Amino acid sequence: MAADVRCVAIGECGLDFNRDFSPRDMQEHVLREQLELACELGMPLFLHERDAHERMMAVMAPFLGLDGVAARRLPPAVIHCFTGSAAAAAKYVEVGLYVGLTGTVCMEARGRHLREEVLPAIPLDRLMLETDAPFMHPSKKGRNARCEPHHTVDVCVKVAEVLGVEMEVVAAATTANARSVFRLDSARARARKK
């Protein structure tokens, strides 16, 4: 599947210690395998981490060159749908990862810490905007609150408002980040050739 020209990343993969649908040791084993695959193929990663920041960093350390044994070999990676702490976001940025924010940042109560603490800790050149569609609708609640890709605009508007910059500044920066990380311009060209 990764060989298909339409595939631009490995993932979504990662650790979810909130729901624990799989045993934690198995989650870590599978994540190591997916990190290895991304390194072998030189493909970016789309990572999921929920309530597992310390273990995520521990599993990624050898791939990031943080274990004192080998150099960094991890391709560009995004911690997507980030809802963790400002300290966790800052650590991900420090090790060169991108942080993705969804419609959660727009939610009055649930997104407050993202707006007040997390977002100011993420430089624009390390920020991604996303929807996590069909989940995380920026303003509606309940089963009928289907989020769609076009709701990324709502996320962009809120991020710009919080940062005190024009929406176009956020849109340009985050679009450039996505194009760079996922090599979208070359992916589009490869797809046209096929």
Side-chain angles (χ1 to χ4, degrees):
M1 182 189 299
D4 189 306
V5 296
R6 296 170 294 180
C7 181
V8 298
I10 300 297
E12 171 180 346
C13 54
L15 303 176
D16 192 324
F17 291 178
N18 179 271
R19 295 188 177 170
D20 280 328
F21 288 135
S22 299
R24 292 179 179 189
D25 62 332
M26 182 57 70
Q27 290 184 52
E28 291 185 21
H29 170 75
V30 171
L31 176 59
R32 280 187 198 89
E33 295 292 319
Q34 292 166 321
L35 293 169
E36 190 62 51
L37 177 64
C39 291
E40 286 175 19
L41 299 176
M43 292 187 76
L45 281 146
F46 203 63
L47 298 167
H48 176 95
E49 179 267 306
R50 191 159 179 207
D51 297 342
H53 172 71
E54 289 182 18
R55 289 307 306 152
M56 184 72 133
M57 288 301 302
V59 171
M60 290 191 310
F63 298 92
L64 291 166
L66 301 176
D67 61 353
V69 176
R72 180 190 175 110
R73 59 192 189 108
L74 191 73
V78 180
I79 299 289
H80 109 101
C81 192
F82 186 80
T83 57
S85 69
K91 185 63 177 176
Y92 288 136
V93 168
E94 179 186 318
V95 299
L97 304 183
Y98 292 79
V99 178
L101 296 179
T102 66
T104 307
V105 76
C106 303
M107 297 175 187
E108 185 58 37
R110 191 171 176 195
R112 182 172 288 116
H113 84 286
L114 294 174
R115 292 187 304 276
E116 295 175 0
E117 302 165 22
V118 174
L119 188 52
I122 306 170
L124 272 179
D125 68 350
R126 287 290 158 182
L127 181 64
M128 294 269 191
L129 303 182
E130 55 174 308
T131 61
D132 200 27
F135 310 108
M136 307 299 181
H137 194 286
S139 59
K140 295 180 183 174
K141 296 178 183 172
R143 292 186 178 266
N144 295 326
R146 182 177 173 85
C147 193
E148 300 287 345
H150 68 88
H151 290 113
T152 306
V153 173
D154 299 325
V155 177
C156 186
V157 167
K158 181 55 76 178
V159 166
E161 175 188 310
V162 170
L163 295 179
V165 299
E166 296 295 322
M167 183 189 86
E168 291 79 11
V169 171
V170 174
T174 56
T175 298
N177 294 343
R179 281 191 167 134
S180 173
V181 168
F182 300 118
R183 301 175 290 216
L184 296 179
D185 296 325
S186 61
R188 190 174 294 130
R190 288 191 315 273
R192 272 190 243 130
K193 288 179 183 178
K194 191 160 185 169

